[in-house]
Amino acid sequence: MDYGRQVGVVLGALRSNPDLRRVMAAFGGFNAAEWSVWIAMLVYAYDHGGATASGLVALVQLVPAALFGPYAGALGDRHPRGTVLVAGYIGQALGFAATGGVLLAGGPPVAAYACAALATMAVTVTRPTQSALLPALARTPEELTAANVVAGWLESLSVLVAPALTGVLLGVSGPGAVFVCCAGVAGLSALAVARLAGQPAVTVATDDDDGDGALRAGIDTLRAEPAARLLVALLAAQFVAIGALDVIYVVLALDTLSLGASWAGYLNAAFGAGGVIGAAGTVALVGRRRLLPPLLIGIAGWAVALAVLAAVTTAGATLVLLATAGVARILVDVAGRTLLQRAAPPEVLARVFGVLEGLQDAGLAAGSLLAPLLVALGGAPAALVGLAALLPLVALATFRGLRTIDRRARVPVVELSLLRAMPIFAGLSAPTLEGLAAGMQSRALAAGEALIVQGDHGDAFHAIAGGELDVSVDGRLVRTVGRGDGVGEIALLRDVPRTASVVARIPSHVFSLGKAPFLAAVMGHAPVRALAAERLAEAAPAD
């Protein structure tokens, strides 16, 4: 399917569902505001204390949000999710407005930092609540898939557009105006989803494991699996560099280039643009036998771009080099995550990624502290050279292990080809697709053998690799399915008993995907993620 037609299919699936359209519109505003206020506060902090203040303020915003994140994620399970989503947007609007008021009134910086931290805590409510709410709003699996695809598009687009718009607003007015505008955007997001408030909560089970046991399994896997541990270390290291870059953008804009605060947004947008360009090309990695070469190419591109940037003092060259670094970074991320999908045992894969999610947050915080230290040692050039060396040093230390992983990895070619042909998995990234494919179990069916029995508990989604199967409801034949079709998603998405029976008409072959990985992929987040963040925060002060 060509890209234009795919876009039409996705948008068409949302056209008839006004609730999903409202949620997506609100989410677009949320993403724009999240990026904008982050950049504006770093610029303000730099004006009042240099790179050290920017790094500390980034930490002040990250730590409370990380501590509150697990509780924010649980709110949607304890209260009506529509109400929680609206309340989260209102909290963001109030927090942004309070911060903007302090900035415009020339109030004390500490008051502005405190208000911004409270607003960031409110930001943590949106993503987990929305992920849990979408299955209750979608009327078909196709609508749910389309909503997740559009959410991914909005997040990618915001990385490019929001920093650029923030740069314009910083140039025209200042950080206070950015916060006030974002308060208005958050308020509009709250209005967009206001009609969802008060709807009863709908629980969709995502895992039948004990939460603490799931998290311990992920941590124990990293201890017992050297391959997974190496890849998690490499992937976490890149977020240290990204956290440091957030601070260095401001230093480059105000000191090195002397172009004003607005350029902090433009530099951030250039890096984001590179990521968008790189993401479009990473589809070529799906099913690729060897991933170490593209991983090393990405690391080399990252290092060269930042090292050359250390010697550049012109705006145009800086934008180009940051975009190049963005392309290289997304190549490292996708190749590394795909290798991790291949290296970690499928039964604990979601838990390993939950631990990685927490380490990413820790990496961003560490980077925000590292940048001021490097700047103090030798200014922006020294900081850029240090960041240029970070990923190559980690890769050098782990090279032998990475080469072994790459040689031994099994690529689930047949399973991948089936998943890529199914609309319900449209828009999933290369690592996610490979992770799902690797976790599928092969099953042969004799003629007349039942794959699904109406009324039974739903525990898996089934992709048909060969043969023909009859789907019947209350004994009445509804349709016949064959290769490339999938069955079993309705019971998983709705958490209801099987709504139909599926029986092999002739000898057939299917691949089955468990309930937890299926829901984690389609709903857009892993259920163990919040638990991982909580533990890390405690450690650190359809059928």
CSV table of all heavy atoms in Angstrom, one decimal, residues 202-250:
chain,number,residue,atom,x,y,z
A,202,VAL,N,-13.7,1.8,31.9
A,202,VAL,CA,-13.7,0.5,31.2
A,202,VAL,C,-12.3,-0.1,31.4
A,202,VAL,O,-11.4,0.4,30.9
A,202,VAL,CB,-14.1,0.6,29.8
A,202,VAL,CG1,-14.1,-0.8,29.1
A,202,VAL,CG2,-15.5,1.2,29.6
A,203,THR,N,-12.2,-1.2,32.1
A,203,THR,CA,-10.9,-1.8,32.4
A,203,THR,C,-10.6,-2.8,31.3
A,203,THR,O,-11.4,-3.7,30.9
A,203,THR,CB,-10.9,-2.6,33.7
A,203,THR,OG1,-11.3,-1.6,34.7
A,203,THR,CG2,-9.6,-3.2,34.0
A,204,VAL,N,-9.4,-2.7,30.7
A,204,VAL,CA,-8.9,-3.6,29.7
A,204,VAL,C,-7.7,-4.3,30.3
A,204,VAL,O,-6.7,-3.6,30.6
A,204,VAL,CB,-8.5,-2.9,28.4
A,204,VAL,CG1,-8.0,-3.9,27.4
A,204,VAL,CG2,-9.7,-2.2,27.8
A,205,ALA,N,-7.8,-5.6,30.6
A,205,ALA,CA,-6.6,-6.2,31.2
A,205,ALA,C,-5.5,-6.3,30.3
A,205,ALA,O,-5.7,-6.6,29.1
A,205,ALA,CB,-7.1,-7.7,31.7
A,206,THR,N,-4.3,-6.0,30.8
A,206,THR,CA,-3.1,-6.0,29.9
A,206,THR,C,-2.1,-7.1,30.3
A,206,THR,O,-1.2,-7.4,29.6
A,206,THR,CB,-2.4,-4.7,29.9
A,206,THR,OG1,-2.1,-4.3,31.2
A,206,THR,CG2,-3.3,-3.6,29.2
A,207,ASP,N,-2.2,-7.6,31.5
A,207,ASP,CA,-1.2,-8.5,32.0
A,207,ASP,C,-1.8,-9.2,33.2
A,207,ASP,O,-2.5,-8.6,34.0
A,207,ASP,CB,0.1,-7.9,32.4
A,207,ASP,CG,1.3,-8.8,32.3
A,207,ASP,OD1,1.0,-10.0,32.3
A,207,ASP,OD2,2.4,-8.3,32.3
A,208,ASP,N,-1.6,-10.5,33.3
A,208,ASP,CA,-2.1,-11.2,34.5
A,208,ASP,C,-1.0,-11.6,35.5
A,208,ASP,O,-1.2,-12.4,36.3
A,208,ASP,CB,-2.9,-12.5,34.0
A,208,ASP,CG,-2.0,-13.3,33.1
A,208,ASP,OD1,-0.8,-13.1,33.0
A,208,ASP,OD2,-2.6,-14.3,32.5
A,209,ASP,N,0.1,-10.9,35.4
A,209,ASP,CA,1.2,-11.1,36.3
A,209,ASP,C,1.1,-10.1,37.4
A,209,ASP,O,0.5,-9.0,37.3
A,209,ASP,CB,2.6,-10.9,35.6
A,209,ASP,CG,2.9,-12.0,34.7
A,209,ASP,OD1,2.4,-13.1,34.9
A,209,ASP,OD2,3.8,-11.8,33.8
A,210,ASP,N,1.7,-10.5,38.6
A,210,ASP,CA,1.8,-9.5,39.7
A,210,ASP,C,2.8,-8.4,39.2
A,210,ASP,O,3.8,-8.7,38.6
A,210,ASP,CB,2.4,-10.2,40.9
A,210,ASP,CG,2.7,-9.3,42.0
A,210,ASP,OD1,1.8,-8.7,42.6
A,210,ASP,OD2,4.0,-9.1,42.2
A,211,GLY,N,2.4,-7.2,39.5
A,211,GLY,CA,3.2,-6.0,39.1
A,211,GLY,C,4.6,-6.1,39.5
A,211,GLY,O,5.6,-6.0,38.8
A,212,ASP,N,4.9,-6.3,40.9
A,212,ASP,CA,6.2,-6.3,41.4
A,212,ASP,C,7.0,-7.5,40.8
A,212,ASP,O,8.2,-7.4,40.5
A,212,ASP,CB,6.2,-6.4,42.9
A,212,ASP,CG,5.8,-5.1,43.5
A,212,ASP,OD1,6.0,-4.0,42.9
A,212,ASP,OD2,5.3,-5.1,44.7
A,213,GLY,N,6.3,-8.6,40.6
A,213,GLY,CA,6.9,-9.8,40.0
A,213,GLY,C,7.3,-9.5,38.6
A,213,GLY,O,8.4,-10.0,38.2
A,214,ALA,N,6.5,-8.8,37.8
A,214,ALA,CA,6.8,-8.5,36.4
A,214,ALA,C,8.1,-7.6,36.4
A,214,ALA,O,9.0,-7.8,35.6
A,214,ALA,CB,5.7,-7.7,35.8
A,215,LEU,N,8.1,-6.6,37.3
A,215,LEU,CA,9.3,-5.7,37.2
A,215,LEU,C,10.6,-6.5,37.6
A,215,LEU,O,11.6,-6.3,37.0
A,215,LEU,CB,9.1,-4.5,38.2
A,215,LEU,CG,10.2,-3.5,38.3
A,215,LEU,CD1,10.5,-3.0,36.9
A,215,LEU,CD2,9.9,-2.4,39.2
A,216,ARG,N,10.5,-7.3,38.7
A,216,ARG,CA,11.6,-8.1,39.1
A,216,ARG,C,12.1,-9.0,38.0
A,216,ARG,O,13.3,-9.2,37.8
A,216,ARG,CB,11.3,-8.9,40.3
A,216,ARG,CG,11.2,-8.1,41.6
A,216,ARG,CD,11.3,-9.0,42.8
A,216,ARG,NE,10.2,-9.9,42.8
A,216,ARG,CZ,9.0,-9.7,43.4
A,216,ARG,NH1,8.8,-8.5,44.0
A,216,ARG,NH2,8.0,-10.6,43.4
A,217,ALA,N,11.2,-9.5,37.2
A,217,ALA,CA,11.5,-10.4,36.1
A,217,ALA,C,12.3,-9.6,35.1
A,217,ALA,O,13.3,-10.1,34.5
A,217,ALA,CB,10.3,-11.0,35.4
A,218,GLY,N,11.9,-8.4,34.8
A,218,GLY,CA,12.7,-7.5,33.8
A,218,GLY,C,14.1,-7.2,34.3
A,218,GLY,O,15.0,-7.4,33.6
A,219,ILE,N,14.2,-6.9,35.6
A,219,ILE,CA,15.5,-6.6,36.1
A,219,ILE,C,16.4,-7.8,36.2
A,219,ILE,O,17.6,-7.8,35.9
A,219,ILE,CB,15.4,-5.9,37.5
A,219,ILE,CG1,14.7,-4.6,37.4
A,219,ILE,CG2,16.8,-5.8,38.2
A,219,ILE,CD1,14.4,-3.9,38.8
A,220,ASP,N,15.8,-8.9,36.6
A,220,ASP,CA,16.5,-10.2,36.7
A,220,ASP,C,17.0,-10.6,35.3
A,220,ASP,O,18.1,-11.2,35.1
A,220,ASP,CB,15.7,-11.3,37.3
A,220,ASP,CG,15.4,-11.1,38.8
A,220,ASP,OD1,16.2,-10.3,39.4
A,220,ASP,OD2,14.5,-11.7,39.3
A,221,THR,N,16.2,-10.4,34.3
A,221,THR,CA,16.6,-10.7,32.9
A,221,THR,C,17.8,-9.9,32.5
A,221,THR,O,18.7,-10.5,31.9
A,221,THR,CB,15.4,-10.4,31.9
A,221,THR,OG1,14.3,-11.2,32.2
A,221,THR,CG2,15.8,-10.7,30.5
A,222,LEU,N,17.9,-8.7,32.8
A,222,LEU,CA,19.1,-7.9,32.5
A,222,LEU,C,20.3,-8.4,33.2
A,222,LEU,O,21.4,-8.4,32.7
A,222,LEU,CB,18.8,-6.4,32.9
A,222,LEU,CG,17.8,-5.7,32.1
A,222,LEU,CD1,17.7,-4.2,32.5
A,222,LEU,CD2,18.1,-5.7,30.6
A,223,ARG,N,20.1,-8.9,34.4
A,223,ARG,CA,21.2,-9.5,35.2
A,223,ARG,C,21.7,-10.8,34.5
A,223,ARG,O,22.9,-11.1,34.5
A,223,ARG,CB,20.9,-9.7,36.6
A,223,ARG,CG,20.7,-8.4,37.4
A,223,ARG,CD,20.1,-8.7,38.8
A,223,ARG,NE,19.9,-7.5,39.6
A,223,ARG,CZ,19.3,-7.5,40.7
A,223,ARG,NH1,18.7,-8.6,41.2
A,223,ARG,NH2,19.2,-6.3,41.4
A,224,ALA,N,20.7,-11.6,34.1
A,224,ALA,CA,21.1,-12.9,33.6
A,224,ALA,C,21.4,-13.0,32.1
A,224,ALA,O,22.0,-13.9,31.6
A,224,ALA,CB,19.9,-13.9,33.9
A,225,GLU,N,21.0,-11.9,31.4
A,225,GLU,CA,21.2,-11.9,29.9
A,225,GLU,C,22.2,-10.8,29.5
A,225,GLU,O,21.8,-9.6,29.4
A,225,GLU,CB,19.8,-11.7,29.2
A,225,GLU,CG,18.8,-12.8,29.4
A,225,GLU,CD,19.2,-14.0,28.6
A,225,GLU,OE1,19.9,-13.9,27.6
A,225,GLU,OE2,18.7,-15.1,29.0
A,226,PRO,N,23.4,-11.2,29.3
A,226,PRO,CA,24.4,-10.1,29.0
A,226,PRO,C,24.0,-9.4,27.7
A,226,PRO,O,24.3,-8.2,27.6
A,226,PRO,CB,25.7,-10.9,28.8
A,226,PRO,CG,25.5,-12.2,29.6
A,226,PRO,CD,24.0,-12.5,29.5
A,227,ALA,N,23.4,-10.1,26.7
A,227,ALA,CA,23.1,-9.4,25.5
A,227,ALA,C,22.1,-8.3,25.7
A,227,ALA,O,22.3,-7.2,25.2
A,227,ALA,CB,22.5,-10.5,24.5
A,228,ALA,N,21.0,-8.6,26.4
A,228,ALA,CA,20.0,-7.6,26.7
A,228,ALA,C,20.6,-6.4,27.5
A,228,ALA,O,20.3,-5.3,27.3
A,228,ALA,CB,18.8,-8.2,27.4
A,229,ARG,N,21.5,-6.8,28.4
A,229,ARG,CA,22.1,-5.7,29.3
A,229,ARG,C,23.0,-4.8,28.5
A,229,ARG,O,22.9,-3.5,28.7
A,229,ARG,CB,23.0,-6.4,30.4
A,229,ARG,CG,23.4,-5.4,31.4
A,229,ARG,CD,23.9,-6.2,32.7
A,229,ARG,NE,25.1,-7.0,32.4
A,229,ARG,CZ,25.1,-8.4,32.5
A,229,ARG,NH1,24.0,-9.0,32.8
A,229,ARG,NH2,26.1,-9.1,32.2
A,230,LEU,N,23.7,-5.3,27.5
A,230,LEU,CA,24.6,-4.4,26.6
A,230,LEU,C,23.7,-3.5,25.8
A,230,LEU,O,24.0,-2.3,25.7
A,230,LEU,CB,25.4,-5.3,25.7
A,230,LEU,CG,26.5,-6.1,26.3
A,230,LEU,CD1,27.2,-7.0,25.3
A,230,LEU,CD2,27.6,-5.2,27.0
A,231,LEU,N,22.6,-4.0,25.2
A,231,LEU,CA,21.8,-3.1,24.4
A,231,LEU,C,21.1,-2.1,25.2
A,231,LEU,O,20.9,-1.0,24.8
A,231,LEU,CB,20.8,-4.0,23.6
A,231,LEU,CG,21.5,-4.8,22.5
A,231,LEU,CD1,20.6,-6.0,22.0
A,231,LEU,CD2,21.9,-3.9,21.3
A,232,VAL,N,20.6,-2.5,26.4
A,232,VAL,CA,19.9,-1.5,27.2
A,232,VAL,C,20.9,-0.4,27.6
A,232,VAL,O,20.5,0.8,27.6
A,232,VAL,CB,19.3,-2.2,28.5
A,232,VAL,CG1,18.9,-1.2,29.5
A,232,VAL,CG2,18.1,-3.0,28.1
A,233,ALA,N,22.1,-0.7,27.9
A,233,ALA,CA,23.1,0.3,28.3
A,233,ALA,C,23.4,1.2,27.1
A,233,ALA,O,23.5,2.4,27.3
A,233,ALA,CB,24.4,-0.4,28.7
A,234,LEU,N,23.5,0.7,25.9
A,234,LEU,CA,23.7,1.5,24.7
A,234,LEU,C,22.5,2.4,24.4
A,234,LEU,O,22.7,3.6,24.2
A,234,LEU,CB,24.0,0.6,23.5
A,234,LEU,CG,24.2,1.4,22.2
A,234,LEU,CD1,25.4,2.2,22.2
A,234,LEU,CD2,24.3,0.4,21.0
A,235,LEU,N,21.3,1.9,24.5
A,235,LEU,CA,20.1,2.7,24.3
A,235,LEU,C,19.9,3.8,25.3
A,235,LEU,O,19.5,4.9,25.0
A,235,LEU,CB,18.9,1.8,24.2
A,235,LEU,CG,18.8,0.9,23.0
A,235,LEU,CD1,17.8,-0.2,23.1
A,235,LEU,CD2,18.6,1.7,21.7
A,236,ALA,N,20.2,3.5,26.6
A,236,ALA,CA,20.1,4.4,27.7
A,236,ALA,C,21.1,5.6,27.5
A,236,ALA,O,20.9,6.7,27.8
A,236,ALA,CB,20.2,3.8,29.0
A,237,ALA,N,22.3,5.2,27.0
A,237,ALA,CA,23.4,6.2,26.9
A,237,ALA,C,23.0,7.3,25.9
A,237,ALA,O,23.4,8.5,26.1
A,237,ALA,CB,24.7,5.5,26.4
A,238,GLN,N,22.2,7.0,24.9
A,238,GLN,CA,21.9,8.0,23.9
A,238,GLN,C,21.0,9.1,24.6
A,238,GLN,O,20.9,10.2,24.2
A,238,GLN,CB,21.2,7.4,22.7
A,238,GLN,CG,19.8,6.8,23.0
A,238,GLN,CD,19.1,6.4,21.7
A,238,GLN,OE1,19.3,7.0,20.7
A,238,GLN,NE2,18.3,5.3,21.8
A,239,PHE,N,20.2,8.7,25.6
A,239,PHE,CA,19.3,9.6,26.2
A,239,PHE,C,20.1,10.6,27.2
A,239,PHE,O,19.6,11.7,27.5
A,239,PHE,CB,18.2,8.9,27.0
A,239,PHE,CG,17.1,8.5,26.0
A,239,PHE,CD1,17.2,7.3,25.4
A,239,PHE,CD2,16.0,9.3,25.8
A,239,PHE,CE1,16.2,6.9,24.5
A,239,PHE,CE2,15.1,8.9,24.9
A,239,PHE,CZ,15.1,7.7,24.2
A,240,VAL,N,21.3,10.1,27.7
A,240,VAL,CA,22.1,11.0,28.4
A,240,VAL,C,22.6,12.1,27.4
A,240,VAL,O,22.5,13.3,27.8
A,240,VAL,CB,23.4,10.3,28.9
A,240,VAL,CG1,24.3,11.3,29.6
A,240,VAL,CG2,23.0,9.2,29.9
A,241,ALA,N,22.9,11.8,26.2
A,241,ALA,CA,23.4,12.8,25.2
A,241,ALA,C,22.2,13.7,24.8
A,241,ALA,O,22.4,14.9,24.7
A,241,ALA,CB,23.9,12.1,24.0
A,242,ILE,N,21.0,13.1,24.7
A,242,ILE,CA,19.8,14.0,24.3
A,242,ILE,C,19.5,15.0,25.4
A,242,ILE,O,19.2,16.1,25.2
A,242,ILE,CB,18.6,13.1,24.0
A,242,ILE,CG1,18.9,12.3,22.7
A,242,ILE,CG2,17.4,13.9,23.8
A,242,ILE,CD1,17.9,11.2,22.4
A,243,GLY,N,19.6,14.5,26.7
A,243,GLY,CA,19.3,15.4,27.8
A,243,GLY,C,20.3,16.5,27.9
A,243,GLY,O,20.0,17.7,28.2
A,244,ALA,N,21.6,16.2,27.5
A,244,ALA,CA,22.6,17.2,27.5
A,244,ALA,C,22.4,18.2,26.3
A,244,ALA,O,22.6,19.4,26.5
A,244,ALA,CB,24.0,16.6,27.4
A,245,LEU,N,22.0,17.7,25.2
A,245,LEU,CA,21.7,18.6,24.0
A,245,LEU,C,20.7,19.6,24.3
A,245,LEU,O,20.7,20.7,23.8
A,245,LEU,CB,21.4,17.7,22.8
A,245,LEU,CG,22.5,17.2,22.0
A,245,LEU,CD1,22.0,16.4,20.8
A,245,LEU,CD2,23.3,18.4,21.4
A,246,ASP,N,19.6,19.2,25.1
A,246,ASP,CA,18.6,20.2,25.4
A,246,ASP,C,19.1,21.4,26.0
A,246,ASP,O,18.6,22.6,25.8
A,246,ASP,CB,17.5,19.5,26.3
A,246,ASP,CG,16.6,18.6,25.6
A,246,ASP,OD1,16.5,18.7,24.4
A,246,ASP,OD2,16.0,17.7,26.3
A,247,VAL,N,20.2,21.3,26.9
A,247,VAL,CA,20.8,22.4,27.5
A,247,VAL,C,21.7,23.1,26.5
A,247,VAL,O,21.8,24.4,26.5
A,247,VAL,CB,21.5,22.0,28.8
A,247,VAL,CG1,22.3,23.2,29.4
A,247,VAL,CG2,20.6,21.4,29.8
A,248,ILE,N,22.4,22.4,25.7
A,248,ILE,CA,23.5,22.9,24.8
A,248,ILE,C,22.8,23.8,23.7
A,248,ILE,O,23.4,24.7,23.2
A,248,ILE,CB,24.3,21.8,24.3
A,248,ILE,CG1,25.2,21.2,25.4
A,248,ILE,CG2,25.3,22.3,23.2
A,248,ILE,CD1,26.0,20.0,25.0
A,249,TYR,N,21.6,23.4,23.3
A,249,TYR,CA,20.9,24.2,22.3
A,249,TYR,C,20.8,25.7,22.8
A,249,TYR,O,21.1,26.6,22.0
A,249,TYR,CB,19.4,23.8,22.1
A,249,TYR,CG,19.3,22.4,21.5
A,249,TYR,CD1,18.3,21.5,22.0
A,249,TYR,CD2,20.1,22.0,20.5
A,249,TYR,CE1,18.1,20.3,21.4
A,249,TYR,CE2,19.9,20.7,20.0
A,249,TYR,CZ,18.9,19.9,20.4
A,249,TYR,OH,18.8,18.6,19.9
A,250,VAL,N,20.6,25.9,24.1
A,250,VAL,CA,20.5,27.3,24.6
A,250,VAL,C,21.8,27.9,24.6
A,250,VAL,O,21.9,29.1,24.2
A,250,VAL,CB,19.9,27.2,26.0
A,250,VAL,CG1,19.7,28.7,26.5
A,250,VAL,CG2,18.5,26.5,26.0
